Amino acid sequence: TDYVYPRTTNKILETYLKDQLGVPAEDIMINYTPFGHSDWQTIVADIKKFGSAGKKTAVVSTINGDANVPFYKELGNQGVAATDIPVVAFSVGEEELAGLDTEPLVGHLAAWNYFMSADTDANAEFIEAWKAFAGEDRVTNDPMEAHYIGFNMWVKAAEIAGTTEADAVIDAITGVTVPNLTGGYSAMMPNHHITKPVLIGEIQANGQFETVSETPGLVPGDAWSDFLPGSKDLISDWRKPLSCGNFNVKTGKCS
């Protein structure tokens, strides 16, 4: 989808593939589509053609929102199986899959920090409460867990600060830890990113994901990419006295 998150993600990935893995430019194809894009026939056909050159081919999808539904339908229509050209999505979850026949999509992947299938007591309790509120057929997803963590962090920081005044809560939130739904505790780092596990899940026939890869521990979020020239010299630290989201360690200045 053509907006800042996919463009930034692709810039990082392209640099990583070229500089770290030695992938030639002609082996990388990048496509952008508008929000709500629905006509995927040509693009999926292009993917199949690109993948017919005899090299191992995969798709990284940063398609967002409703456009995922017709994209995955077209993958099924054109027989793009995970065994031939696997798709790994950064922005598709259980909610998007709920409206699809997932049989033809089994094996395609998604990278998230949470899946509804997480086998923890906290997740079981959360799912039970959500279904009681929204209906038995409703699913959970990664953005919901992010809000669960974020809200509970805000509450804890407001209690520490003794006020809901924004700047005071911001100052108090670094170091706050709260339970996540995948097991363990997520912590707010000085760069205002949190620690989470990184999971890769395979689409199942029932519309859920089976986790097939998981980091051994929680990963601290990085505010700046180590792979981009304009970014690798920057750090983020919101603690006083630095209080800067883009401090350049070479120039010693906050930009």
Side-chain angles (χ1 to χ4, degrees), residues 127-135 138:
I127 292 170
E128 183 181 3
W130 171 240
K131 286 180 176 290
F133 172 77
R138 296 302 301 275

Side-chain angles (χ1 to χ4, degrees), residues 69-193:
V69 176
F71 171 66
Y72 278 93
K73 282 183 178 177
E74 192 58 36
L75 288 178
N77 290 343
Q78 295 198 33
V80 179
T83 49
D84 300 323
I85 304 177
V87 174
V88 56
F90 293 173
S91 304
V92 70
E94 293 84 350
E95 180 66 24
E96 289 80 15
L97 295 183
L100 290 169
D101 173 14
T102 52
E103 285 277 1
L105 307 177
V106 170
H108 287 302
L109 305 163
W112 284 111
N113 306 111
Y114 163 88
F115 292 115
M116 186 175 175
S117 58
D119 186 15
T120 66
D121 291 342
N123 190 41
E125 184 180 327
F126 181 77
I127 292 170
E128 183 181 3
W130 171 240
K131 286 180 176 290
F133 172 77
E136 273 299 315
D137 60 337
R138 296 302 301 275
V139 295
T140 60
N141 60 20
D142 179 279
M144 290 175 68
E145 193 221 17
H147 281 73
Y148 171 89
I149 294 169
F151 179 77
N152 288 331
M153 281 187 167
W154 178 87
V155 169
K156 203 166 181 179
E159 289 172 346
I160 293 168
T163 176
T164 58
E165 195 272 323
D167 286 341
V169 174
I170 289 169
D171 289 342
I173 204 166
T174 297
V176 164
T177 60
V178 298
N180 56 44
L181 297 179
T182 51
Y185 284 75
S186 287
M188 178 65 72
M189 309 297 287
N191 63 4
H192 282 178
H193 290 258

